[in-house]
Each structure stands twice: as structure tokens, then as C-alpha cells.
Amino acid sequence: MSDKIIENNQVTIMGQVASTFEFSHEVFGEGFYTMEVLVKRLSNSEDRIPVMISERLIDVTQDYVGEYIIVQGQFRSYNRHEEQKNRLVLSVFAREVSFVESDEDMDGVKTNSIFLDGYICKSPVYRKTPLGREIADLLLAVNRPYGKSDYIPCICWGRNARFASSFEVGAHVHILGRVQSREYIKKLSDTETEKRTAYEVSVSKLECQEE
């Protein structure tokens, strides 16, 4: 596997294990499980981030809820077919995990950071909030080995949003930021709604790469 391709998608999160393991799928006899990690923001609110992890990396029969963990890996996407359409499902794919005694052991280290090197695959959506804050939504395609790609939603603010709004489809960009979770209400019918969680990258820096 090409190290160059691994380098284009790097994420580190540190936080508290918030759920037990749930079986996801198996590849060539290797089982993969999902769990959730609570990662604190500077504002003291929390992001609840899903992690995909191999049974070869961790003992999935154990209950680690409440323990503090560091996960390094990649932010990945796959399409799940539901309600007659595909839904983009995102999670941190763990390559390395380690435990620390408490969140105090994380001092001085960014508890949530991501670097992406990819290509704009949809025209940016630029808008202003009712309070006049500028926002731009990007969808970034990040190449993976064997011809696959991950599709990562990214959100830019202020000056970055203005800059990103001019990007054309196919533009090559580098992004630094953090993974965040956001709850929203999905309207299922005239009478039914459902609370869901979306995941995206909140962008702190971005650069357009000249080809």
C-alpha cells in the first residue's frame, strides 16, 4: 500500500470511549467493529465521533466505556443503501490506538486534528447565516489505494468560506481542520421526523494547489 496515498488523509482524535463495540462487517476473515468517542471542543461542548476498528487492533470483547483513547487513522466514507437511496456514512478508520490515564494526559496535544489532500468534486455552496456569518460547504474526494476514493464533506467559515466559494470542480486542495458531529432533524414524511447526526470537517486552513 502506498504511503503517499495514506499521507493524504490523516486524522488523530483523543477522547473518552462512549459506546461498546458493534459488529460492522468482515473482510477476508478480519472483523471490523464500530464504537463512538466523545471528543471535547475548546468551547467544552463535545463531538461524538464514530470509529471503525479491526478486531486485530483491540480486544473487541472488552468494554472500554469511560476510558480515554487516542485513535490515529483516516476519515473514510462509504455508501449505505437505505430508504431507496444511498446515504454517505463517515467514520474514523483506526490504524493505531492507545489508551491514556485521563484527559489531562492530552494537554498540549491537539485532541482532534485532520489533514486532507483531495479534489473538489461538487460546486461549493456559499451562504450566509441570518446573523451574517459566511459559510461554504465543500465535498472533497480523497484518493485511497486500489482506485477507491473517500468523499468528505467540509465546512468553511468567514474568510475561508469566501476563498472556497471560488473553487471549481476538480481543484486540488489541502485542508487542515477537525472532525465534528452535528445533530439535525430529518423530515421523513409530513408527520414523521427523526433526529440524526451528520459528520464533517470543520476547516481551519485551506490551500489551493497549483497543478
Side-chain angles (χ1 to χ4, degrees), residues 71-96:
V71 179
Q72 292 173 292
Q74 296 165 283
F75 201 31
R76 288 192 173 179
S77 70
Y78 72 93
N79 273 317
R80 186 163 69 204
H81 194 69
E82 56 180 56
E83 299 164 14
Q84 284 80 54
K85 60 182 181 182
N86 286 331
R87 183 164 161 227
L88 193 68
V89 179
L90 293 144
S91 61
V92 172
F93 181 82
R95 292 197 166 276
E96 290 176 40

Side-chain angles (χ1 to χ4, degrees), residues 27-66:
V27 181
F28 301 125
E30 182 178 2
F32 289 88
Y33 291 75
T34 56
M35 65 178 205
E36 292 185 321
V37 176
L38 282 180
V39 180
K40 275 190 180 163
R41 294 190 190 182
L42 290 174
S43 61
N44 267 344
S45 58
E46 291 174 317
D47 290 298
R48 194 178 184 99
I49 297 173
V51 174
M52 180 82 67
I53 196 162
S54 163
E55 61 188 355
R56 295 179 189 173
L57 270 186
I58 200 167
D59 182 354
V60 294
T61 64
Q62 296 289 320
D63 181 350
Y64 297 102
V65 171

